[in-house]
Amino acid sequence: MQIVEHIRDLRSARARLKGRVGAVYTMGALHAGHRSLLDCARAENDAVVATIFVNPTQFGPGEDAESYPRTPDGDLALMEVAGVDLLFAPAPAELYPSGFQTSVSVDEVSQGLEGAQRPGHFRGVATVVAKLFNLTQPDAAYFGQKDAQQVVVLRRMAADLNFPLEVVVCPTVREADGLAMSSRNMFLSAKERRAAAVLYRALRTASDAWEAGEREPGVLREAVRAVLGAEPLVAIEYVAVNYPESLRGVLMPTGGPVLLSLAVQIGRVRLLDNMLLPRALNTREGLTQALGAPLV
Ligand code: AMP
């Protein structure tokens, strides 16, 4: 694995990669969720390029990029074992030198859900990913279902700005009790960590209702809220049912697919989770079709 920190070194190393190139973009503090993206990229491409960059522009005023978890030694070992060919791990000034003043904003699909809770977040994400697309020039870019709105925003950006790449979506990797793996889970106390299993239980309850024939979006949302509400440590931010392509809210019963998503606060930790309904769509193929397929 070649590790580079500077853009000029990345460009020359990227030019030497042969064949189809898959890319995985991370903020480090790597876990099995990141590993699954790397494994998928490795299996489907001739070469894999990965990045580690805690992007300051996607953190809001109350959110501190400085306190984002960092595990550099473990990250390098995981990238190496996963078969990454080229790792780009720049310092912030490499991507945002003084005088930087351009940003990418994707309007409609950035507005609801996470965008409503975290103003400016998706502008930061779209801007850095546009830069990383330009710098790494992948044939396919791999993203996790866990950040479903992020994929929808980036898919729209890739279409609108003519990035010649495929957006691939890999299923959320979970702990044994169903909690979606996240770098932020390490900030949960033991008690909060136990409480956090309720997120997946809540999604499962609604998806059981869907599989039993329930299609009313309000009823599905209430099923999630009822399960979450039974856990005193959980403060609900939103529970939503949206069309995966437009992210518009589902107002009437529909045959699907729909994206059921939630955000909660447990202690000082914000947690997200989501599921596509019907449940059978939560695979690489189903997710990629619903959230990542090319837009015309
Ligand atoms: P992050 O390092 O949190 O910015 O995440 C980098 C990539 O890994 C994003 O595409 C995430 O959606 C993805 N990812 C994070 N957690 C998981 C997970 N539990 N399962 C699958 N993908 C994940």
Side-chain angles (χ1 to χ4, degrees):
M1 178 169 74
Q2 184 175 359
I3 304 171
V4 296
E5 294 176 13
H6 297 289
I7 286 169
R8 63 172 183 278
D9 300 327
L10 174 66
R11 287 196 199 279
S12 54
R14 171 63 186 88
R16 287 194 297 274
L17 294 179
K18 293 197 172 49
R20 185 181 150 91
V21 173
V24 177
Y25 307 110
T26 81
M27 299 208 295
L30 302 181
H31 50 65
H34 301 107
R35 177 67 196 263
S36 77
L37 303 187
L38 294 166
D39 289 347
C40 200
R42 182 71 271 170
E44 298 178 5
N45 298 278
D46 300 305
V48 176
V49 49
T51 64
I52 297 177
F53 181 63
V54 181
N55 176 37
T57 66
Q58 71 190 65
F59 289 81
E63 314 163 357
D64 194 2
E66 295 304 308
S67 57
Y68 194 81
R70 284 173 170 79
T71 56
D73 296 344
D75 291 353
L76 291 192
L78 187 146
M79 292 273 188
E80 180 87 63
V81 172
V84 170
D85 296 288
L86 175 57
L87 173 62
F88 179 48
E94 188 73 12
L95 288 186
Y96 301 110
S98 73
F100 186 92
Q101 52 190 283
T102 302
S103 65
V104 177
S105 96
V106 182
D107 291 338
E108 241 176 75
V109 288
S110 295
Q111 275 166 17
L113 305 172
E114 286 303 285
Q117 304 291 325
R118 304 179 70 188
H121 170 67
F122 286 118
R123 179 192 299 264
V125 170
T127 302
V128 79
V129 174
K131 287 164 69 66
L132 294 173
F133 280 172
N134 279 328
L135 291 167
T136 57
Q137 302 193 2
D139 296 285
Y142 293 78
F143 297 96
Q145 171 190 7
K146 192 174 79 66
D147 302 286
Q149 187 178 14
Q150 170 171 289
V151 188
V152 172
V153 168
L154 296 176
R155 184 244 310 251
R156 185 76 250 172
M157 177 189 80
D160 291 353
L161 299 185
N162 310 103
F163 285 103
L165 52 83
E166 278 173 47
V167 171
V168 181
V169 188
C170 301
T172 300
V173 176
R174 299 178 180 282
E175 304 283 359
D177 64 359
L179 177 64
M181 290 197 180
S182 164
S183 311
R184 292 188 169 94
N185 292 350
M186 63 175 80
F187 295 132
L188 295 167
S189 71
K191 200 166 164 226
E192 291 166 348
R193 170 66 192 79
R194 283 193 296 278
V198 75
L199 274 64
Y200 187 58
R201 282 207 308 280
L203 292 177
R204 290 288 304 215
T205 300
S207 82
D208 286 347
W210 176 281
E211 303 298 330
E214 181 60 61
R215 295 290 181 273
E216 192 65 57
V219 175
L220 295 166
R221 284 197 306 269
E222 278 316 308
V224 173
R225 284 182 170 275
V227 178
L228 293 175
E231 175 45 70
L233 293 181
V234 167
I236 301 174
E237 278 190 15
Y238 63 79
V239 176
V241 179
N242 300 78
Y243 292 102
E245 182 163 322
S246 62
L247 293 186
R248 292 198 184 113
V250 177
L251 303 175
M252 306 280 283
T254 166
V258 301
L259 178 69
L260 173 62
S261 59
L262 61 83
V264 308
Q265 190 103 25
I266 300 186
R268 64 189 188 93
V269 186
R270 257 189 111 239
L271 297 174
L272 309 183
D273 207 341
N274 69 75
M275 201 181 268
L276 276 183
L277 303 176
R279 188 183 279 169
L281 292 179
N282 293 277
T283 60
R284 180 212 177 284
E285 286 67 33
L287 290 160
T288 299
Q289 179 60 38
L291 302 169
L295 298 170
V296 283

